[in-house]
Amino acid sequence: MPVSGSPTFDDLGEPVPVTSPARVVSLVPSLTEAIEVSAPGMIAGATDYCTHPPELDVPRVGGSKYPDVEAVLDLRPDLVVANAEENRPQDVEQLRANGVAVWVTSAAVTVPDGLGSVRRLLTQGLGLTEPGWLGEAEHLWSHTIPVHSTAIIPVWRRPWVVIGRDTFAGDVLLRLGVANVYAEHEERYPRPKLDELQARDADLVVLPDEPYLFTDTDGPEAFPGKRYKLVNGRHLTWCGPSLVDAHASLR
């Protein structure tokens, strides 16, 4: 159950009355990795999609969008970690109504924003010393490369969904010199028709392996004549320790 103490405030400004929690359930794959790498053994439960660290062996509580709230409660966590974009407000409210503290992170639109959010969670929400990987990631991603390519970045097909404005993934690529052709779109995740995508003036198509698993035979054929690159989706969208390896991998 929650530990009493002076509240800190999550990214949404909600008070979180927890200090030094021992048992954390994470509903966000990237935060699961960030917490477990920084404080091994603190994660007491995670979603089915929390694939890293690979050796993580904890009870699973369903998916990020539709977690099994009763399963979370059964684990008696001191704190549940959620995200404003990935998790439903009603699930957060149900947990809080049952006396469980929940720390909600914001949907970061830049790499610095994301790392700042993770820092607050680790040092203020969890009472941890700042881990070394965080400073290393900040250093690597503090520099930007001049734009050398323009890209379409699909994250789903049937229907096609692409990265639009104000997204973490878009900022990751921009810092590596790849500009998103949908960066000025009014939606963060537009759903253009395929003929519109094919007509866009882009010299690159970036195809991640999550949430949709694009492969050499599933995705590139839709963009004849365009250069494509398959990338690790975790490196593109996760804000955590993977950002250290992501810099060299994506660059």
Side-chain angles (χ1 to χ4, degrees):
M1 296 299 292
V3 180
S4 61
S6 300
T8 53
F9 296 87
D10 67 14
D11 286 356
L12 303 189
E14 294 294 328
V16 185
V18 173
T19 57
S20 301
R23 293 176 57 79
V24 176
V25 171
S26 174
L27 304 181
V28 187
S30 61
L31 295 180
T32 300
E33 181 182 35
I35 295 168
E36 186 65 16
V37 168
S38 304
M42 181 173 281
I43 295 292
T47 74
D48 298 337
Y49 301 103
C50 293
T51 57
H52 287 73
E55 65 274 12
L56 183 67
D57 183 16
V58 296
R60 303 294 169 157
V61 295
S64 299
K65 291 292 186 185
Y66 301 99
D68 184 337
V69 174
E70 291 302 321
V72 174
L73 295 173
D74 288 344
L75 292 174
R76 301 179 64 82
D78 300 317
L79 181 70
V80 172
V81 176
N83 177 264
E85 185 172 66
E86 291 195 39
N87 305 114
R88 303 186 307 166
Q90 55 263 46
D91 293 326
V92 171
E93 292 308 315
Q94 186 177 349
L95 289 166
R96 287 175 174 159
N98 279 275
V100 176
V102 183
W103 184 288
V104 181
T105 58
S106 61
V109 300
T110 68
V111 174
D113 284 347
L115 289 172
S117 172
V118 173
R119 173 180 283 107
R120 287 190 296 275
L121 168 64
L122 296 178
T123 62
Q124 298 177 31
L126 304 180
L128 302 176
T129 300
E130 183 175 315
W133 66 260
L134 201 155
E136 185 178 359
E138 283 187 324
H139 173 72
L140 287 170
W141 290 97
S142 62
H143 308 290
T144 59
I145 297 172
V147 172
H148 55 74
S149 300
T150 57
I152 297 167
I153 313 145
V155 292
W156 201 260
R157 68 180 303 179
R158 304 184 189 95
W160 287 95
V161 181
V162 300
I163 295 292
R165 65 170 179 84
D166 298 336
T167 64
F168 182 86
D171 190 57
V172 164
L173 290 175
L174 185 60
R175 288 170 185 272
L176 297 177
V178 179
N180 175 16
V181 298
Y182 280 92
E184 303 302 320
H185 197 280
E186 63 181 7
E187 297 178 10
R188 297 185 70 220
Y189 297 98
R191 297 189 174 197
K193 299 297 184 181
L194 181 57
D195 56 354
E196 177 189 330
L197 286 174
Q198 293 171 334
R200 291 303 297 254
D201 184 16
D203 49 34
L204 179 66
V205 181
V206 178
L207 298 169
D209 61 4
E210 64 173 47
Y212 187 92
L213 178 56
F214 287 105
T215 67
D216 282 313
T217 57
D218 187 356
E221 80 288 345
F223 302 93
K226 282 188 168 58
R227 183 165 59 100
Y228 74 91
K229 187 65 177 178
L230 300 176
V231 301
N232 185 323
R234 175 168 153 264
H235 285 170
L236 191 63
T237 62
W238 286 30
C239 186
S242 61
L243 278 176
V244 175
D245 293 333
H247 192 270
S249 173
L250 293 175
R251 182 171 181 176

